[in-house]
Amino acid sequence: MTVPSPAELDAIVAGRIEATVRGGEHRSTRGLAGMARLLGKWNQARLDRAIFAQTGGVVMTGPFAGLQFVERSTEGCHAPKLIGCYESELHGVVETIVATPYETVLNIGCAEGYYAVGLARRMPGTRAIARDTDPRAQASVAAVAARNGVADRIETGGLFAPADFAAHA
């Protein structure tokens, strides 16, 4: 997954805004909303890069503190994952899961593997099955698993159909 440099990202955003203005789309509410959304995503990408640089890509706090993460998330927010506050309302649930000696954990819609790899790190006797239909996510979770020394306990793949539940207690 190629991540544009900050200068490349700035050029991409400037080009899209210029095209919107040149095309007159900025005169409509929809055009303005599109530009605002683009600027918001641009600002979030810059923030994500700054936090990644500060943390070295290592999750700072929370149930997965110490997880060596990716530079860019395939889905959802990135900065909160690196800071350790991502889905903080689930931190207690994660601790309950970690305290239970499960043989296997299923992570369906695993994205880059924050939960699958995070749980595998915290539960050394547990195997994780990480599924996502996006091939980029599958590659990302495999890379995060290797980076964290748990690749031998993470099974990645695509679609997890309802019938697949029968194979897992």
Side-chain angles (χ1 to χ4, degrees), residues 107-153:
N107 184 193
I108 303 166
C110 64
E112 65 286 321
Y114 184 76
Y115 283 103
V117 177
L119 287 170
R121 283 183 74 245
R122 296 278 316 272
M123 303 169 75
T126 300
R127 184 176 76 120
I129 297 175
R131 294 284 188 268
D132 204 295
T133 57
D134 183 346
R136 294 173 305 152
Q138 294 170 35
S140 186
V141 73
V144 172
R147 198 172 294 141
N148 285 277
V150 297
D152 60 328
R153 293 188 293 113

Side-chain angles (χ1 to χ4, degrees), residues 34-118:
M35 286 183 8
R37 184 172 186 271
L38 177 63
L39 288 170
K41 290 179 86 171
W42 170 71
N43 191 47
Q44 184 63 53
R46 293 177 62 89
L47 179 63
D48 288 346
R49 283 182 182 279
I51 291 174
F52 185 86
Q54 288 293 314
T55 64
V58 177
V59 174
M60 301 306 293
T61 64
F64 303 132
L67 175 72
Q68 295 178 34
F69 207 46
V70 291
E71 186 173 353
R72 184 174 169 187
S73 289
T74 58
E75 288 291 327
C77 334
H78 193 68
K81 291 174 184 172
L82 288 171
I83 293 168
C85 65
Y86 180 68
E87 296 184 337
S88 61
E89 64 277 11
L90 298 179
H91 288 186
V93 174
V94 169
E95 293 304 328
T96 299
I97 292 168
V98 168
T100 307
Y102 291 112
E103 263 182 51
T104 306
V105 292
L106 301 173
N107 184 193
I108 303 166
C110 64
E112 65 286 321
Y114 184 76
Y115 283 103
V117 177

